[in-house]
């Protein structure tokens, strides 16, 4: 008869002898309990791990526990908690190890969420180094998870090889029978969840990649309510890029982690060492430095234009600036309407929504027909909402043209985010269909680009006999219903890139600087706007919109000569595809600076004439 749990401390005292004082239980796991034990000879505390007595009667339990003792005795590594001593009686098996004062990685993540890139990568390197050492000794962990990683003075210590087994030797397959699942499902590799097939160090690599993802993103790559659903997601659904929720993650690091999470072990890195090296190499590239901001003050030659009221100039600037400062083309309709009361109100209704970019629908195996059908369902459901919308294919094509990208580009990951920013959309919609035999896994996710956060994440498994597209439609309706209450905080006015026929700027960072500059200008901070538009032009000197914006900001600051030079730069770089009205808009500012008010008004009228048809043809 095995001893009760209440008698274990007493049995442990008898086993260890007078030298040790058993104090309190400090943890428990699948195979054992851990107690704090005070060593009277050394005047310090250690930890004693005891095999659960109720498992002693199970076949192979004692052998597994003894295997842990033997493995730990061989694994002498600074990031692996070592064994200090071993004790055994007829009723109890225990071993001593250092008592680590500090939280587990699980506790650290629960308290802090995502860690900094530097701290996270250091911990991954330390964990990876310990695993690599164990693998080269012929041992793998098989239950790697944040709960089994202790933090001491900020450094990672790997614990609990309780279900590890030797990768070689005559008894390598004895302790775990085929089909028996051992470990924590959230971090286990697909081959471990299957409970069949060959497992090697790449299973630990998968667990390390999962932990790395959680360290960087603040949440694991897959989440499900049941183990079965989690298993299917790992087999069939691709993890979302880390850069969706954390753009600061270097692309190469994102690629390394996603490769480590490949469902097929053959598609992962060959070893844990290779995985860690790829992660470390990804962050060695020099980061961008911040150039000190210089402000420009008026020179003696730059005096405010005579007789120009500053308030009136700003109203005229706000009216048309978005035409050439395409970074905020979405504001164009509002600016014009504010000056043209006869413009139809209904022409703008379609702009007031929470706009999303629909990423390329992923299917596995590749199935263009299903992908197109899923896209059509998503577009249809969003069109029915008066609060949500997805950018049309024409919208996206216009944005791609303005960015000098092929219209056939695959809209996914970083490019999808760029399109959202350029198109003034607030979010992304990701959709994937993964098939396994007669079953399929549907995954839908909505992401807030501005806040770098997941708005809604949904998934469903479609069993045989149920129509896939019907389930997609049902899940899409659920997605729309969950997003609509959040729409008020996501409303934007989509950009007017659909009419773009030439390159605005191919440099995304120049575009983003221009967006920031325009916002600074609208709040009255024209010195900041000058700085930001100048930085944009350092990246793309042919960016006509940035030249025009720079001229606007200089005009409001009274920098007459600088404003004229900037508007002349805008005219030089408009390109042959620029419209007659776009050119007239810039010319109107030049005429104003030179005091030719008649020519200025004529140019302004030409600009307004170009806008008129777009309002006459607007949807009622």
């Amino acid at each position: 008869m095995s001893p009760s749990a209440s008698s274990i401390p007493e049995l442990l005292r008898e086993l260890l002898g007078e030298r040790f004082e058993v104090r309190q239980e400090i943890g428990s796991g699948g195979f054992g309990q851990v107690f704090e034990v005070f060593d009277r000879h050394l005047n310090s505390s250690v930890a004693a791990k005891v095999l659960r007595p109720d498992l002693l009667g199970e076949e192979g339990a004692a052998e597994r526990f003894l295997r842990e003792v033997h493995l730990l005795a061989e694994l002498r590594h600074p990031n692996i908690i070592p064994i200090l001593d071993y004790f055994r009686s007829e009723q109890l098996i225990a071993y001593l190890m250092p008592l680590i004062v500090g939280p587990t990685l699980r506790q650290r993540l629960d308290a802090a969420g995502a860690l900094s890139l530097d701290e996270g990568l250091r911990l991954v390197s330390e964990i990876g180094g310990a695993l690599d050492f164990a693998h080269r000794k012929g041992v793998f962990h098989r239950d790697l998870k944040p709960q089994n990683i202790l933090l001491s003075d900020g450094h990672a210590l790997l614990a609990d090889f309780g279900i590890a087994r030797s990768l070689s030797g005559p008894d390598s397959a004895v302790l775990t029978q085929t089909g028996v699942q051992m470990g924590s499902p959230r971090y286990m590799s697909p081959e471990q969840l299957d409970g069949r097939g060959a497992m090697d160090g790449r299973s630990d690599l998968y667990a390390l990649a999962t932990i790395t993802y959680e360290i960087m993103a603040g949440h694991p790559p897959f989440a499900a309510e049941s183990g079965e659903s989690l298993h299917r997601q790992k087999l069939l659904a691709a993890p979302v890029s880390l850069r969706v929720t954390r753009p600061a993650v270097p692309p190469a690091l994102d690629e390394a982690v996603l490769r480590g999470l490949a469902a097929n072990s053959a598609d992962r890195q060959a070893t844990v060492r290779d995985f860690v090296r790829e992660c470390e190499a990804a962050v060695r590239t020099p980061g961008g430095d911040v150039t000190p901001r210089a402000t420009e003050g008026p020179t003696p030659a730059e005096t405010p234009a005579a007789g120009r009221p500053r308030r009136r100039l700003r109203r005229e600037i706000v009216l048309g600036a978005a035409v050439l400062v395409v970074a905020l083309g979405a504001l164009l309709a509002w600016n014009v309407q504010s000056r043209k009361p006869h413009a139809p109100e209904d022409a703008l209704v379609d702009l007031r929504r929470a706009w999303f970019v629909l990423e390329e629908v992923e299917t596995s195996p590749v199935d263009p027909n299903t992908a197109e059908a899923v896209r059509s369902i998503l577009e249809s459901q969003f069109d029915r909402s008066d609060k949500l919308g997805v950018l049309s294919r024409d919208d996206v094509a216009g944005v791609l043209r303005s960015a000098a990208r092929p219209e056939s580009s695959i809209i996914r990951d970083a490019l999808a985010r760029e399109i959202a920013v350029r198109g003034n959309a607030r979010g992304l919609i990701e959709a994937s269909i993964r098939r396994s035999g007669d079953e399929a896994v549907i995954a839908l996710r909505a992401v807030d680009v501005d806040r770098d956060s997941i708005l809604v994440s949904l998934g469903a498994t479609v069993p045989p006999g149920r129509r896939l597209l019907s389930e997609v439609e049902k899940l899409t309706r659920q997605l729309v219903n969950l997003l609509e209450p959040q729409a008020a905080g996501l409303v934007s006015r989509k950009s007017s890139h659909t009419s773009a026929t030439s390159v605005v700027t191919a440099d995304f960072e120049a575009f983003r600087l221009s967006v920031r500059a325009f916002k600074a200008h609208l709040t009255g901070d024209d010195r900041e706007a000058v700085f930001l538009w100048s930085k944009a032009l350092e990246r793309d000197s042919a960016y006509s919109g940035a030249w025009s914006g720079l001229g606007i900001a200089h005009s409001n600051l009274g920098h007459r000569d600088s404003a004229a030079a900037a508007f002349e730069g805008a005219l030089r770089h408009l390109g042959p595809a620029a419209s007659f009205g776009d050119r007239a808009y810039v010319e109107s500012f030049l005429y104003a600076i030179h005091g030719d008010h008649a020519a200025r008004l004529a140019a302004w009228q030409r600009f307004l004439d170009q806008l008129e048809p777009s309002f006459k043809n607007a949807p009622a």
Side-chain angles (χ1 to χ4, degrees):
M1 183 174 178
S2 63
S4 65
S6 61
S7 65
I8 291 177
E10 183 59 35
L11 290 172
L12 183 59
R13 290 186 186 96
E14 294 177 6
L15 179 64
L16 298 180
E18 291 297 324
R19 174 177 172 177
F20 298 98
E21 175 190 344
V22 178
R23 291 187 169 175
Q24 60 181 336
E25 182 179 347
I26 56 177
S28 62
F31 286 109
Q33 296 168 272
V34 183
F35 293 84
E36 179 186 355
V37 175
F38 182 73
D39 186 338
R40 293 186 174 94
H41 289 185
L42 298 178
N43 197 33
S44 64
S45 291
V46 294
K49 183 165 184 179
V50 182
L51 177 64
R52 282 172 44 196
D54 59 303
L55 293 179
L56 279 175
E58 294 186 9
E59 182 180 358
E63 287 79 3
R64 283 194 291 271
F65 195 83
L66 290 175
R67 169 57 60 84
E68 177 180 4
V69 171
H70 296 152
L71 293 179
L72 288 174
E74 297 176 5
L75 299 181
R76 297 289 179 174
H77 186 275
N79 297 107
I80 296 177
I81 298 177
I83 182 173
L84 301 177
D85 207 343
Y86 160 67
F87 300 83
R88 182 176 186 179
S89 69
E90 291 183 359
Q91 292 182 295
L92 214 60
I93 302 175
Y95 68 83
L96 303 182
M97 56 186 179
L99 179 65
I100 305 301
V101 178
T104 65
L105 180 58
R106 173 76 280 141
Q107 293 168 326
R108 178 81 169 84
L109 291 172
D110 288 345
L115 306 183
S116 69
L117 292 180
D118 288 343
E119 180 186 7
L121 186 62
R122 178 177 55 76
L123 293 177
V124 169
S125 297
E126 291 175 350
I127 300 164
L131 285 174
D132 176 67
F133 176 81
H135 291 176
R136 286 186 282 111
K137 290 287 187 179
V139 176
F140 74 124
H141 194 285
R142 302 185 72 226
D143 192 23
L144 184 65
K145 55 188 177 184
Q147 293 91 320
N148 285 338
I149 298 167
L150 304 179
L151 302 179
S152 178
D153 293 327
H155 293 282
L157 295 172
L158 189 55
D160 201 355
F161 276 83
I163 59 171
R165 73 173 184 180
S166 175
L167 290 171
S168 60
D171 59 349
S172 61
V174 171
L175 300 180
T176 306
Q177 297 177 349
T178 299
V180 177
Q181 189 182 101
M182 304 178 70
S184 303
R186 176 173 287 186
Y187 301 94
M188 286 168 61
S189 64
E191 60 268 23
Q192 281 180 276
L193 287 167
D194 282 339
R196 59 179 183 269
M199 288 180 283
D200 55 25
R202 288 172 295 184
S203 294
D204 279 349
L205 191 160
Y206 184 95
L208 179 59
T210 303
I211 292 171
T212 306
Y213 190 105
E214 186 170 0
I215 284 174
M216 299 301 173
H219 58 82
F222 299 107
E225 295 180 358
S226 68
E228 180 183 0
S229 178
L230 182 65
H231 187 191
R232 293 181 185 280
Q233 286 189 39
K234 289 190 174 190
L235 284 173
L236 304 174
V240 175
S241 166
L242 281 167
R243 291 171 57 78
V244 169
T245 55
R246 192 172 184 182
V249 172
L253 177 58
D254 183 41
E255 182 180 344
V257 175
L258 295 183
R259 184 181 171 196
L261 290 170
N264 190 327
S265 63
D267 295 329
R268 301 171 204 150
Q269 293 86 348
T271 65
V272 167
R273 177 183 290 186
D274 292 337
F275 172 79
V276 171
R277 284 176 175 174
E278 284 187 20
C279 292
E280 291 175 338
V283 297
R284 288 196 190 115
T285 55
D289 56 336
V290 178
T291 305
R293 183 169 72 88
T295 57
E296 179 184 354
T299 64
E302 295 178 331
T303 57
R308 180 182 305 280
R310 290 285 294 276
R311 181 176 301 174
R312 182 178 179 183
L313 175 61
R314 183 173 299 282
R315 289 179 66 197
E316 293 174 349
I317 289 169
V318 173
L319 167 64
V323 175
L324 291 183
V325 187
V326 187
L328 285 164
L331 296 174
L332 175 60
W334 177 85
N335 288 328
V336 173
Q337 188 194 25
S338 68
R339 294 293 304 240
K340 292 171 68 66
H342 61 276
E345 175 71 19
D346 288 344
L348 301 177
V349 171
D350 192 51
L351 297 177
R352 298 191 185 103
R353 293 188 180 189
W355 291 100
F356 291 82
V357 172
L358 179 56
E359 291 197 14
E360 201 83 19
V361 178
E362 294 187 67
T363 59
S364 178
V366 176
D367 185 350
N369 293 331
T370 298
E372 180 62 26
V374 172
R375 181 186 177 94
S376 296
I377 291 171
L378 285 161
E379 289 175 334
S380 174
Q381 291 296 326
F382 273 76
D383 285 345
R384 292 179 183 179
S385 171
D386 59 358
K387 298 178 180 180
L388 309 172
V390 294
L391 299 191
S392 70
R393 297 167 204 248
D394 286 343
D395 291 333
V396 172
V399 174
L400 289 170
R401 288 194 297 271
S402 75
R405 299 290 190 97
E407 293 183 31
S408 59
S409 299
I410 302 298
I411 311 304
R412 197 174 292 154
D413 302 328
L415 179 57
R417 296 181 65 85
E418 180 176 343
I419 290 171
V421 174
R422 287 180 181 268
N424 207 32
R426 283 293 302 273
L428 303 177
I429 300 296
E430 303 162 349
S432 67
I433 307 290
R434 305 285 172 178
R435 294 184 182 272
S436 176
D438 294 331
E439 295 185 329
V441 174
I442 309 168
L444 298 179
R445 180 177 287 188
V447 177
D448 184 339
V449 174
D450 284 4
R451 296 187 177 92
D452 298 319
S453 62
I454 296 173
L455 297 168
V456 177
S457 182
L458 299 173
T461 300
V462 183
R466 291 172 66 177
R467 295 180 58 193
L468 172 64
L469 295 182
S470 295
E471 295 301 315
V472 171
E473 187 170 4
K474 185 187 304 182
L475 206 63
T476 302
R477 284 199 299 268
Q478 186 180 353
L479 178 70
V480 169
N481 291 337
L482 291 172
L483 283 175
E484 282 190 331
Q486 305 180 59
L490 300 168
V491 169
S492 63
R493 301 176 185 274
K494 69 175 179 177
S495 179
S496 56
H497 282 298
T498 53
S499 61
T501 56
S502 60
V503 175
V504 173
T505 177
D507 191 307
F508 186 37
E509 183 58 29
F511 181 91
R512 296 175 68 174
L513 286 165
S514 191
V515 171
R516 290 172 56 198
F518 195 89
K519 290 179 178 178
H521 162 70
L522 289 181
T523 59
D525 192 352
D526 282 301
R527 291 189 180 278
E528 179 71 7
V530 164
F531 168 72
L532 292 169
W533 265 313
S534 297
K535 297 301 292 182
L537 289 168
E538 287 178 12
R539 298 188 63 92
D540 183 358
S541 61
Y543 188 180
S544 178
W547 280 114
S548 181
L550 185 63
I552 290 169
H554 276 307
S555 293
N556 278 323
L557 290 170
H559 304 163
R560 183 175 176 182
D561 294 343
S562 293
F567 286 125
E568 288 167 359
L571 286 174
R572 282 196 308 273
H573 296 292
L574 271 176
S579 71
F580 183 69
D582 290 343
R583 187 169 296 277
Y585 170 79
V586 182
E587 289 174 343
S588 71
F589 283 102
L590 271 176
Y591 289 135
I593 288 172
H594 295 310
D596 191 341
H597 298 295
R600 169 196 173 209
L601 290 175
W604 192 253
Q605 187 60 54
R606 292 196 300 273
F607 163 67
L608 294 178
D609 288 344
Q610 179 205 21
L611 296 179
E612 190 72 30
S614 66
F615 284 92
K616 288 179 179 179
N617 298 326

